Amino acid sequence: MRYTFIDNAYRVVRITGPTHNLLGLEFRDDGQDCVQTAVDLRNGGQSVINQDELIRHVNQGVSDANRDFGANYFAMTIQYAGDDTPPEDIYSVLAYKIIERLVTSESFASK
């Protein structure tokens, strides 16, 4: 997996043979007075990823990581590529991995 920090978002890219997934998260610590948005980083085209399922799985991964690490993250903006590879449940793992990396102070490359 490749981890980067671009435009205030922590991103992870996972490529394993024919599958590929990108997840970017912009966080807010408490989620108070915050509207969660999902942004397809592609410009147009039919999305293969079900956005509602993506959001559900990202929130599950964030919730699991918050519980496991005693953190309090809220994904304010969720970035993804609509032509990535389903199933959407991989995004819970990717969200968890981003928070795990933040909590353990591992670096994110910047561009």
Side-chain angles (χ1 to χ4, degrees):
M1 285 193 256
R2 182 168 180 230
Y3 296 87
T4 56
F5 182 74
I6 303 170
D7 297 329
N8 295 322
Y10 295 94
R11 291 185 184 177
V12 61
V13 174
R14 174 183 173 267
I15 300 172
T16 59
T19 66
H20 49 87
N21 301 93
L22 174 146
L23 178 64
L25 299 177
E26 185 177 347
F27 291 109
R28 185 159 165 182
D29 287 338
D30 57 13
Q32 295 286 344
D33 303 320
C34 185
V35 174
Q36 188 175 52
T37 59
V39 178
D40 185 345
L41 296 176
R42 298 172 313 122
N43 291 324
Q46 184 69 18
S47 181
V48 177
I49 300 297
N50 179 305
Q51 194 175 81
D52 292 334
E53 284 296 301
L54 167 89
I55 292 168
R56 184 173 73 80
H57 286 290
V58 166
N59 287 332
Q60 184 62 56
V62 169
S63 177
D64 291 347
N66 282 338
R67 181 197 64 232
D68 291 352
F69 299 113
N72 191 32
Y73 288 98
F74 175 78
M76 183 173 70
T77 305
I78 300 168
Q79 301 173 344
Y80 69 102
D83 59 350
D84 271 348
T85 311
E88 289 79 1
D89 61 351
I90 188 60
Y91 293 99
S92 64
V93 173
L94 298 178
Y96 188 98
K97 290 295 194 182
I98 288 173
I99 293 174
E100 178 179 49
R101 197 166 183 96
L102 286 168
V103 169
T104 59
S105 300
E106 293 183 59
S107 66
F108 286 79
S110 58
K111 287 193 174 188

